[in-house]
Amino acid sequence: MSEINVRVGDQQKSFPAPLSVAEAIKAFDRDLIKKSLAAKINGAEVDLTFNLEQTDEILSIEPILTDTRDGLEVIRHSAAHLLAAAVLDLFPETKLGVGPALMDDPRYGFYYDVIAPRQLSEADLPVIEKKMRDIAKRNLPFRREVVSKDELIKLFTDRREPLKCELVTEKADRTATAYYIDDTSFVDFCLGPHVPNTNKLKAFKLLALSGAYWKGDANNQQMQRIYGTAFTSQEELEAWTKQRAEAEKRDHRRIGKDLDLFSIQEEYGQGLIFWHPKGATMRMEMENLLKEELLKRDYSFVYTPHIAKRELWRISGHEENYADGMYAPTSIDEEEYRLKPMNCPFHIGIFKNSPKSYRDLPQRYSEMGTVYRAELSGTVHGLMRCRGFTVDDAHLFVRSDQVREEVADCLDFALYVFNTYGFEKVKFELSVRGGAENKGYLGADEDWKNAETSLANALKERNISYERIEGEAAFYGPKIDIKIEDAIGRIWQLGTIQLDFNLPERFELEYTGEDGQKHRPIMIHRALFGSIERFFGVLIEQFAGAFPLWLAPVQITVLPITDRINEYAEGVAKRLKEAGFRVETNLKSDKIGAKIRDAQISKVPFMIVLGDKELEENKIAVRERTKGDLGAMPLAEFIETTRKLKETRALINV
């Protein structure tokens, strides 16, 4: 009788075959199986119904639990399938596209793209959601089948699903996995895993409809995207719903328009940002904060082109692993070029341009580098996901003995910056390659192991708790992802610190060591804001447009009560500007109440109200945005106090 050797946690047992994953987990811990949605076998995600096979190696099973990020992803992916099953039940002629889970989008948890026999409207969402609940209550299994590629194409051909046929043709190997929800007409081409049955899906809600093109290409068929979200419990869903209502009040697109910070103009292109003067002023402050710290930490500033020969992207591996995210090549003088999606190869070019000694390392290059990515039309969203954006990018070229210190400094840098903006809850995730079955990763196993260990040690030495995320590394190296929690509890992916042994090898980088021999440097990719546009959007929503003094585009507005005070008001404004403040003066003939109301709507931190009394006493009357009247005081006193708030980047104005 063949036996299967299984490890769960610190325990190891042997079982006779056949054995499902669920049976194995249950044999170790009956309570653990109740909290399990799926599992990982030696890093590979599988369903609980997956049958283990006899092998010479020990099969390490890690249950995917309901209260983890991986568990939530399984729930949301399964909910997307449930959505598609409900749509097919209501509209049998529907053609299906794709339906992924969304884990880093605070707005939604999943979507499914469909071509229904008629145009769907918002009024259809409650009907579809009710059908989802009806199916969920029937406790139907999610069933996985492994079939040949040809069989799956025939299946979708018979079902008149041309888009699914296209996907299978493009992506499947000789065999493929199909998922069914039994007793429904739904079947999908999918890797999984999914929850064992529909009864596990209890807390979900449909949210919105939008247009989408198949594969994000405007030349392809137009589809409808149905958005929803799902959580482990109804309590979590209700809390998120309340959060969403608050988020709508803070929507950066509305506030950005109201405060005249930025715009997106369709005639110029979707996902392209116009920074207006007030928004650009704030961006300048954001960049100044970074530049001050970069200088303190001995970074060098560089500037690089926006376009390069296509061959460069072949060497870097982007052509092989990131082509879908890049704009199409363009030909110049019979040579192909591409817009850059990343800055890394350009900084490599600067490093490689002159010989380096071990004494020259570390080399730290920083650039506010604008990049371009061919994001799908259904995924672009205001400032949060753009097609052209600027990265506060840095690349560090270091010796192996410098890695720990440099990564630690990057972590300190990140904490300092996010605390300055008031983000006190910072979360760290260590994204690693995962099991050997993961495809698309470049470089040797030993290099990956060393890189992952170096990042983990840097986090531990700083006593920073982190979550290890299997299979989420960049294709060229493991990374630390830095996420923040905003004022209403949403999590945003911002910074990243990535260790890279691969690109130095691909580009044949070297330095002369102390032994006189040639050595490869190690490359660290570091961004804190990530996208400056995205971080700006997060800031708008964090502060709901009411920015602290140092960041506000207009810091002080001067409001004369009558026209005869205008000359005095202009003199006060001049002194404030000379003191380094951003000042506006409202000389309209409106009543003072209307002027104050306009300043409040514009969320200006301080208002200076001037009347006959202030003119006679050579003083100013100060109002703060939230505290109201602060009383009369000499202008010099106000300047001194307020200058300290600005210089210390205080988050509270008084």
Side-chain angles (χ1 to χ4, degrees), residues 143-160:
R143 179 167 54 86
R144 174 180 180 268
E145 282 191 6
V146 179
V147 297
S148 72
K149 181 176 182 177
D150 290 342
E151 285 180 288
L152 194 52
I153 291 174
K154 183 180 185 305
L155 172 65
F156 285 126
T157 300
D158 293 343
R159 293 170 62 90
R160 297 179 182 175

Side-chain angles (χ1 to χ4, degrees), residues 144 153-154 168 292-293 335 359 368 375 427 532 573:
R144 174 180 180 268
I153 291 174
K154 183 180 185 305
V168 176
E292 288 173 15
E293 287 300 312
E335 198 150 25
R359 295 187 182 90
M368 302 296 172
E375 299 287 359
K427 179 182 179 182
I532 290 179

Side-chain angles (χ1 to χ4, degrees), residues 6-13 15 19-38 48 61-63 65:
V6 176
R7 179 187 296 120
V8 175
D10 296 330
Q11 300 181 61
Q12 182 176 324
K13 295 181 180 180
F15 301 92
L19 180 73
S20 73
V21 172
E23 290 169 338
I25 297 173
K26 186 176 181 180
F28 281 91
D29 189 332
R30 289 181 174 273
D31 291 329
L32 188 61
I33 190 60
K34 296 176 184 177
K35 297 182 290 184
S36 300
L37 296 172
L48 292 179
I61 298 179
E62 179 188 350
L65 304 179

